[in-house]
Amino acid sequence: MNFKINKILLLGFLLISSILIKAQEPDKIIKVISSGYGMTQQKAGQLALHSAIFKILSIYYSLNEDSLNNQLLIDLTTSITNDNIESYELLNETQMPDSNWVLLLKVNFSINKLKIFLQEKGIKTDLKVSEFALNIKQQMLNEQGEINALFEMVGLFHELMQNAFDYTIKSNEPKSKDNDNKNWELSLEVNAIANKNMDFCANYCISILSAICLSKDEVENYKSLNKTIYPVNINYKSETKIFYLRTQMSIYALNTLTMEWEFFTSLFEIQPEFDKIGDKCTGTFFDFSDGCSYRSDNKTINFLTAGKQAATFIIKDEKTLQQIEQINGYHVKPRGIVSIYKNGGIVVNQKDGHGLVVSIADLGKIKLQDIETFAKNLVLNGYNDWRIPTNDELNTIHKNLFENGIGGFAGFKYYGSYGGFGNIFRFQNCDDNTKYNQFVRVVRDF
């Protein structure tokens, strides 16, 4: 079923009003790519529009957190007219395995009419946008839309990929560890086999990248402006597709996905249980990311199809003859979802419906003195209340996520705080530059 924002749907969350534009004031149309996730197509579309409005007000009118509050967004969503939203284009519509819907929209807005609306709300706007500035701000909107679409995609994959593998097991004959038949070594082989969830992720990734990537003309424009472009290669079903992205933060989001590969593939348990299976297990893995480094300006992802082998694990354990006599055979099964993505990030901890989430990926190099302001002004995955973590929260993130291979932190050499800020930093070396340009993640409470 296709999602169409028609008059009936618009009446559900837009109050039709009439706003007149002065004839002498030329109109400017801006385009916003925005996504929404909800139980129904209508709810997902409403959230996508809400997010689009938020982006426009923050970029074109530079409204801070104090003035850009939820009530203003609600008022605007319920007061804007059909004419203010020039057109809708459905870029992607997907029903997830959990039956929820994800919609990706391109929405065209009249910024002059938005200006009048804000003035009627008592918000002063001195918007005078030259064609040069208009183009730059349009690029900013495109970049922000790209980042949010990929962060949301990788977040949704966080749980899907935990259920993307089935497992087989076989055991070898025990081998003696001594000459008196008292101690033996058992060797088990567990294979992780991709299932249909892997195909879903591959197709969804390709569809999202196709919708948000730079067009050929945009690639040439970025090159003429001396702006970096970021190629992404997706290999799937013996075919390679190349997409060009706008920001390195988008690459960081994809890094999280590929760096969690070992975590995703190793979510199995064996019966009867082994004590400290992790200490006795070695694995060989399919090359999901083609060896791309974490800091690379490009990315390659190799998606498997259902039925293909993703990893092989060898588990060795020492047991006595008496212990072996109690074992009738080994069985392996998936552990299921052990790490949750919700409320815009990966759950660090939660209790009684409240807790802490951390952003799905790195947010790029940020000067230390700018970190707090950056976090305060950040709009990510539909939330604007991100902040830097405290030192205690940093330790919890390290223990609950990093040590378990969750969240794409594996490339970090060292975690710590610097200059009084409790942040997740990635130190490449010890020169002064790294003290001021860090790889940072933010957190939010829920």
Side-chain angles (χ1 to χ4, degrees), residues 317-355:
D317 193 22
E318 294 183 10
K319 291 188 179 297
T320 65
L321 178 59
Q322 289 76 14
Q323 289 173 322
I324 292 176
E325 288 176 338
Q326 304 301 315
I327 300 174
N328 294 320
Y330 289 95
H331 304 279
V332 65
K333 65 178 182 178
R335 291 174 60 193
I337 295 173
V338 299
S339 176
I340 301 172
Y341 168 83
K342 69 178 183 180
N343 295 312
I346 301 173
V347 173
V348 179
N349 54 32
Q350 63 177 332
K351 183 178 181 181
D352 300 328
H354 300 281

Side-chain angles (χ1 to χ4, degrees), residues 29 49 82-89 106-109:
I29 304 301
L49 279 177
N82 284 323
D83 289 338
N84 281 79
I85 302 176
E86 301 294 334
S87 63
Y88 298 88
E89 181 182 350
K106 180 186 287 185
V107 189
N108 298 339
F109 284 90

Side-chain angles (χ1 to χ4, degrees), residues 1-3 34-48 90-105 148-157 160 200 204 207-208 341:
M1 180 184 298
N2 291 328
F3 172 76
S34 185
S35 60
Y37 175 81
M39 295 181 62
T40 65
Q41 294 154 291
Q42 289 79 4
K43 181 63 174 177
Q46 182 179 2
L47 292 174
L90 181 61
L91 300 179
N92 183 268
E93 174 191 53
T94 301
Q95 187 172 25
M96 307 299 287
D98 63 1
S99 297
N100 286 306
W101 288 88
V102 181
L103 271 66
L104 187 68
L105 301 178
N148 277 272
L150 289 178
F151 268 60
E152 181 175 68
M153 181 192 79
V154 174
L156 294 172
F157 283 5
L160 275 174
F200 180 92
Y204 186 72
S207 67
I208 290 296
Y341 168 83

Side-chain angles (χ1 to χ4, degrees), residues 6 12 47 106 133 169 215 310 312 336 355 439:
N6 50 34
L47 292 174
K106 180 186 287 185
I169 188 170
S215 66
T312 298
F439 291 78

Side-chain angles (χ1 to χ4, degrees), residues 23 90 111 130 197 219:
L90 181 61
I111 56 176
S130 68
N197 280 345
V219 168

